[in-house]
């Protein structure tokens, strides 16, 4: 079972994906996410990359929707607990996670030089969150070799850590932006509520 630390980390992504703010992830939210990614210059200029991005993001929606139905929530309505149930499954499907990382890498590698700069990583975070996001020293924490860039294998490792790691010391935990939790939440998660996941953790 995913820990409170993982839940606090992933919750920020849930809220970023929840475009209409209704406390549930629905197909329209993922369609809006696709539109955000389509505005990136390299994606906008490449129909093949556009289709890859759409396929990856909507593919995860279909995984989540199927899991919601399996969990008894009803297909098409994904709450925070369903997302965390998917996180529980990710260690058994690392290839799918790293394949997603590969597509995201190509989408944000604006100049196609095979590495992600600080500015390109900032655009990744802003695109995920749908707004400008202050990142402080996040990139310096990710750039473990200090060369000023994230290579493709480095990027994939960090991406995997973000979605799977339960170790607060691993740099990938800030891959999608600064950790917003002010403490490591370790309490047992509350059960589902009709009002959604907001406010479940004091972070």
């Amino acid at each position: 079972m995913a820990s409170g630390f993982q839940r606090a980390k992933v919750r920020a992504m849930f809220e970023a994906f929840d475009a209409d703010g209704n406390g549930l992830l629905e197909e329209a939210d993922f369609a809006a996410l696709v539109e955000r990614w389509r505005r990136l210059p390299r994606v906008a200029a490449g129909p093949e990359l556009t289709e890859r991005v759409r396929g990856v993001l909507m593919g995860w929606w279909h995984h989540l929707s199927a899991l919601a139905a399996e969990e008894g929530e009803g297909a098409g309505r994904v709450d925070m607990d369903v997302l965390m149930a998917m996180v529980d499954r990710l260690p058994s499907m690392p290839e799918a996670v790293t394949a997603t990382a590969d597509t995201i890498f190509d989408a944000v590698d604006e100049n196609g030089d095979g590495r992600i700069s600080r500015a390109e990583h900032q655009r990744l975070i802003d695109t995920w969150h749908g707004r400008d996001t202050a990142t402080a020293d996040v990139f310096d924490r990710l750039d473990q070799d200090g060369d000023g860039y994230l290579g493709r294998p480095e990027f994939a490792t960090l991406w995997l850590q973000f979605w799977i790691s339960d170790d607060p010391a691993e740099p990938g935990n800030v891959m999608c932006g600064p950790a917003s939790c002010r403490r490591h939440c370790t309490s047992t998660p509350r059960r589902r509520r009709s009002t959604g996941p907001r406010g479940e953790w004091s972070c």
Side-chain angles (χ1 to χ4, degrees):
M1 179 179 178
S3 69
F5 168 73
Q6 287 173 290
R7 189 180 181 94
K9 175 177 58 172
V10 173
R11 188 182 67 173
M13 301 313 299
F14 183 99
E15 294 179 352
F17 295 166
D18 182 14
D20 60 7
N22 70 347
L24 293 169
L25 301 184
E26 298 163 308
E27 187 170 6
D29 294 319
F30 276 74
L33 186 60
V34 170
E35 288 304 309
R36 292 209 298 261
W37 282 91
R38 285 181 62 182
R39 291 195 288 269
L40 289 175
R42 194 174 182 198
V43 180
E48 182 179 345
L49 183 54
T50 297
E51 183 56 28
R52 279 177 61 199
V53 168
R54 189 201 67 79
V56 162
L57 295 177
M58 296 311 296
W60 282 110
W61 161 249
H62 292 308
H63 280 303
L64 286 166
S65 181
L67 183 55
E70 182 182 322
E71 296 258 308
E73 295 298 305
R77 295 172 65 83
V78 173
D79 66 8
M80 184 66 182
D81 287 339
V82 172
L83 180 58
M84 294 313 300
M86 177 60 72
V87 168
D88 281 339
R89 296 186 179 194
L90 293 182
S92 67
M93 46 195 300
E95 296 84 2
V97 181
T98 53
T100 300
D102 196 51
T103 296
I104 297 302
F105 184 99
D106 288 335
V108 298
D109 181 18
E110 188 171 327
N111 60 7
D113 66 353
R115 54 188 187 172
I116 303 301
S117 67
R118 184 186 298 269
E120 288 168 338
H121 179 256
Q122 179 69 55
R123 280 190 287 279
L124 180 157
I125 294 175
D126 293 345
T127 300
W128 272 131
H129 290 273
R131 56 180 169 77
D132 292 343
T133 304
T135 57
D137 65 346
V138 159
F139 189 83
D140 296 325
R141 294 174 62 186
L142 298 172
D143 182 21
Q144 295 286 287
D145 61 9
D147 68 353
Y149 297 92
L150 304 177
R152 192 179 293 271
E154 192 177 6
F155 186 93
T157 297
L158 293 163
W159 187 265
L160 195 63
Q161 287 176 358
F162 178 82
W163 288 106
I164 293 178
S165 176
D166 189 30
D167 180 358
E170 289 193 323
N173 288 311
V174 295
M175 184 63 163
C176 296
S180 59
C181 188
R182 294 184 177 85
R183 62 183 175 81
H184 295 159
C185 305
T186 56
S187 302
T188 301
R190 297 177 188 172
R191 295 308 301 158
R192 299 181 180 92
R193 298 179 300 173
S194 60
T195 53
R198 285 175 169 75
E200 288 182 8
W201 298 95
S202 299
C203 300

